[in-house]
Amino acid sequence: MPRVACAFWLSAPGRGELRPVPLPEPGSDEVLVRTLYSGVSRGTETLVFRGGVPKSQYGAMRAPFQEGEFPAPVKYGYLNVGVVEEGPPALRGRTVFCLAPHQTHYVVPAHAVTPVPDAVPAARAVLAGTVETAVNALWDAAPLVGDRIAVVGAGMVGCSVAALLARYPAVRLQLVDADPARATTAEALGIDFALPDDALGDCDLVVHASASEEGLARSLELLAPEGTVIELSWYGDRRVSLPLGEAFHSRRLVVRSSQVGAVSSARRARRTFADRLALALDLLADPAFDALVTGESAFEELPSVLPRLASGDLAALCHRIRYAPPGAS
């Protein structure tokens, strides 16, 4: 009989369940990983959960180890930290990050896992995929010393971008969000916070990550002449309106998309996906990133947790999923 793991599947839009899945024997170039933690990427995964991936984006949105097809049934997720139990000697016993779904154990190629540095706790390492998105965004944005910068949208991605920008010398940085409760997160990251109406203007750069029409419009308003908005939000099947009249042209403003599916063209010739992910994990040695994990549930609770995250009933930046240790009942 094959070994069996347990995985979270979206059985239909808005409904998930835990299913047993066969666990193959790993080959010579594969690893068997026991999951310690996974993370719910709230924006993307709740969009997938409600069935909001446009048909035109089914291929682009496919996760590396996804099973099934959009809209459902599908096994989806990509923030997983576990321990290698079987595989090459150099990896056996190591804590690793993998772009794998929510599943108790899994077998993947050895090159698909990245060792977590000793200075990074496994529980924090679930943020690696989001910090990798932030790294790519800043490669796209190319901020300069002394820039005036706003990050609009204090969600998981926006906070990660702001946490990295806080390390830049002599920048004027604000984290902007319509939810005053996000001020607590900004304070933990050591960043100035502002509500949209109170945000400082004349920005050289605005990184937009609120996934809202109002946030994007406000981002344009905050720019100095010839300033740039880096658009990190993904709207799925929603259409948004953008005020490109008024002074948009006379002020020579720029709106530029950034997305983690390709290494930024600014670094593509010299950095691989593996290099980018390894850098993100190194950056997570900073304990300030703990502020981005705002909730935790047991794996068994995931079918009831995801609907609450999707509806907003359970507010979260990154919601961490905890897996039972070996032998636990």
Side-chain angles (χ1 to χ4, degrees):
M1 294 290 291
R3 293 181 294 183
V4 175
C6 188
F8 176 80
W9 278 78
L10 178 64
S11 52
R15 186 172 71 250
E17 62 186 22
L18 301 182
R19 295 182 182 178
V21 294
L23 195 63
E25 292 284 344
S28 60
D29 58 349
E30 293 181 317
V31 291
L32 167 65
V33 179
R34 172 174 55 86
T35 303
L36 298 174
Y37 300 97
S38 60
V40 178
S41 180
R42 187 174 177 273
T44 301
E45 286 197 59
T46 58
L47 189 145
V48 169
F49 185 77
R50 68 174 178 82
V53 179
K55 287 185 178 180
S56 64
Q57 296 301 301
Y58 280 5
M61 278 294 295
R62 190 172 184 87
F65 297 103
Q66 173 181 323
E67 292 183 33
E69 303 296 335
F70 298 121
V74 65
K75 183 174 73 175
Y76 193 83
Y78 49 83
L79 301 174
N80 189 296
V81 177
V83 174
V84 175
E85 294 199 325
E86 298 178 25
L91 288 172
R92 206 173 303 148
R94 294 291 304 272
T95 300
V96 295
F97 177 86
C98 183
L99 298 169
H102 307 284
Q103 184 166 316
T104 57
H105 299 75
Y106 54 92
V107 173
V108 294
H111 65 74
V113 301
T114 302
V116 174
D118 292 340
V120 179
R124 190 187 304 152
V126 295
L127 296 167
T130 307
V131 175
E132 183 184 11
T133 300
V135 167
N136 209 55
L138 294 184
W139 283 349
D140 282 333
L144 299 176
V145 173
D147 271 358
R148 297 178 294 269
I149 304 172
V151 177
V152 176
M156 193 172 167
V157 171
C159 285
S160 295
V161 171
L164 297 185
L165 282 169
R167 304 169 179 224
Y168 278 67
V171 299
R172 188 197 76 188
L173 175 64
Q174 277 193 321
L175 184 57
V176 181
D177 199 278
D179 183 359
R182 293 290 188 235
T184 302
T185 306
E187 182 180 4
L189 295 172
I191 300 165
D192 184 37
F193 176 82
L195 295 170
D197 289 345
D198 301 326
L200 298 173
D202 201 30
C203 291
D204 304 290
L205 170 67
V206 177
V207 178
H208 178 241
S210 81
S212 71
E213 194 172 286
E214 297 80 7
L216 183 52
R218 184 59 177 144
S219 296
L220 288 171
E221 292 173 351
L222 295 176
L223 286 177
E226 303 200 357
T228 297
V229 169
I230 295 294
E231 176 58 281
L232 272 175
S233 303
W234 193 67
Y235 301 91
D237 57 0
R238 288 187 293 135
R239 290 182 175 270
V240 298
S241 297
L242 188 60
L244 299 182
E246 301 177 353
F248 178 80
H249 286 82
S250 63
R251 296 174 65 216
R252 299 177 60 82
L253 304 181
V254 175
V255 179
R256 183 182 177 190
S257 67
S258 178
Q259 199 266 351
V260 74
V263 174
S264 168
S265 59
R267 292 292 180 271
R268 198 172 301 159
R270 299 182 298 279
R271 300 289 191 280
T272 65
F273 286 102
D275 292 333
R276 191 179 64 182
L277 180 55
L279 172 58
L281 281 164
D282 285 340
L283 290 166
L284 281 169
D286 186 347
F289 282 103
D290 287 333
L292 275 61
V293 178
T294 53
E296 184 175 286
S297 300
F299 172 65
E300 294 75 16
E301 299 173 295
L302 191 51
S304 61
V305 166
L306 253 175
R308 296 179 62 205
L309 288 170
S311 68
D313 177 55
L314 182 60
L317 293 176
C318 175
H319 194 86
R320 187 167 57 210
I321 305 303
R322 180 184 67 255
Y323 292 71
S329 59

